[in-house]
Each structure stands twice: as C-alpha cells, then as structure tokens.
C-alpha cells in the first residue's frame, strides 16, 4: 500500500484528514491518485507531514516518519 492511502486510512479517512489540515477532501484524495490523473502518486506533500504526525500522536495512531516514505525507500521494510 502506498504511503498516502495507509496514512489517510490510519488517521480516520480523507474527511478527517481534510478537516485537520483545513483542506478540501478532494485535495486529500488527490494524494492517492497517480500523477497521470493529476495526483501525488501515493505521496503526501512534505509540508503536511508535521501536522499529520501531530494528528497521529493525538489519536494514538502510531505513525512514524518511515510511514511517509515510499515503500521501496523504507528503512524497516516488512
């Protein structure tokens, strides 16, 4: 699973993430879309990582910075 989908689902879905970041829900969905469809190819923009880490801490979701990396670049690959 690409990072964006995993993170968004872990944090309660696109609507919850959009509310947290004060973004439109469609913007959050675009992170999961391929670049060919105007998306972010499964990557969350770096400028959003800090806020999402704080959300994760608040919710007890247990995300780490490694979760934001593309699967092939992760240090602790399963």
């Amino acid at each position: 699973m690409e990072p964006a989908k995993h993170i968004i689902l872990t944090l309660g879905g696109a609507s919850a993430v959009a509310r947290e970041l004060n973004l439109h829900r469609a913007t959050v969905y675009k992170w999961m879309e391929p670049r060919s469809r105007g998306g972010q190819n499964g990557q969350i923009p770096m400028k959003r990582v800090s806020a999402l880490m704080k959300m994760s801490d608040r919710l007890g979701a247990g995300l780490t910075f490694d979760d934001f990396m593309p699967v092939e670049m992760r240090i602790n690959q399963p």
Side-chain angles (χ1 to χ4, degrees):
M1 184 180 308
E2 287 299 322
K5 185 174 183 178
H6 167 70
I7 290 164
I8 291 165
L9 291 176
T10 299
L11 296 175
S15 294
V17 170
R19 274 192 306 276
E20 180 75 17
L21 300 176
N22 198 29
L23 296 172
H24 193 280
R25 187 178 48 190
T27 300
V28 175
Y29 277 113
K30 283 284 188 181
W31 298 343
M32 297 184 279
E33 293 290 327
R35 284 199 195 343
S36 62
R37 292 179 48 188
Q40 292 289 320
N41 230 28
Q43 300 300 305
I44 291 181
M46 287 302 297
K47 67 182 180 181
R48 305 297 183 189
V49 172
S50 179
L52 293 176
M53 285 297 296
K54 289 176 186 173
M55 182 181 185
S56 173
D57 290 345
R58 193 178 72 253
L59 296 174
L63 292 175
T64 67
F65 285 109
D66 200 43
D67 291 312
F68 289 83
M69 298 298 293
V71 174
E72 61 275 2
M73 295 179 66
R74 292 187 184 167
I75 295 168
N76 299 315
Q77 291 186 12

